[in-house]
Amino acid sequence: MLRQGPLSLTLHSLLEPVLAALLIAAPFLFGFSDQGAPTAVAIIAGIEVLVVAMSTDWRVSLIRAVPIAAHLAIDFGLAVVLIAAPFLFGFSDQGAPTAFFIIIGVLLLLVVLGTRWYPEVGEGERHGLLRRRKGAAPNGGADDLPGSQPTR
């Protein structure tokens, strides 16, 4: 699937809390906090980004519940929703929030497409993405099978 992007998964995971903070603060930073729909969409999207980022199965995470493939799909879907938000929620006639959502949505889409979601073979162990069972054999556990003889 999407493997060869220039952005590492670690960099992507570090950018997500920044995006969440930007989305939550955007109505106040860009002067559309008095407008209900864009403010609500920005804050809800920011919370969604933060929750998904902090629960994805990668290094920078509080709990590891969301698989990386699901995170990819959620990020892609969010990018599409952010781009369409001014038209879906009826604030396309308001300049600042419309420009903000379209720009952030396009940037998120570029980050999603530019991330190496799955490491090359062998790269996962170097980055800590592949975990072994405690005490598992380096040959994938073949020595752990009943009746198998350890090779020396």
Side-chain angles (χ1 to χ4, degrees), residues 25-35 38-39 94-97 100:
F28 311 101
L29 292 174
F30 301 114
F32 58 89
S33 62
D34 59 335
Q35 300 164 2
T39 300
Q94 301 167 6
F100 172 77

Side-chain angles (χ1 to χ4, degrees), residues 5-32:
L7 301 175
S8 71
L9 195 57
T10 302
L11 177 60
H12 183 103
S13 69
L14 294 173
L15 290 174
E16 295 238 328
V18 174
L19 174 63
L22 177 63
L23 282 166
I24 292 169
F28 311 101
L29 292 174
F30 301 114
F32 58 89

Side-chain angles (χ1 to χ4, degrees), residues 12-84:
H12 183 103
S13 69
L14 294 173
L15 290 174
E16 295 238 328
V18 174
L19 174 63
L22 177 63
L23 282 166
I24 292 169
F28 311 101
L29 292 174
F30 301 114
F32 58 89
S33 62
D34 59 335
Q35 300 164 2
T39 300
V41 171
I43 291 172
I44 290 169
I47 292 170
E48 182 271 339
V49 168
L50 191 60
V51 167
V52 170
M54 294 297 115
S55 61
T56 297
D57 188 16
W58 57 22
R59 281 185 184 194
V60 184
S61 181
L62 295 176
I63 59 172
R64 295 170 189 251
V66 178
I68 290 181
H71 185 106
L72 165 64
I74 291 168
D75 275 4
F76 185 76
L78 180 63
V80 171
V81 168
L82 288 175
I83 293 168

Side-chain angles (χ1 to χ4, degrees), residues 78-102:
L78 180 63
V80 171
V81 168
L82 288 175
I83 293 168
F87 312 101
L88 291 174
F89 300 108
F91 58 88
S92 60
D93 58 334
Q94 301 167 6
T98 299
F100 172 77
F101 281 103
I102 291 174

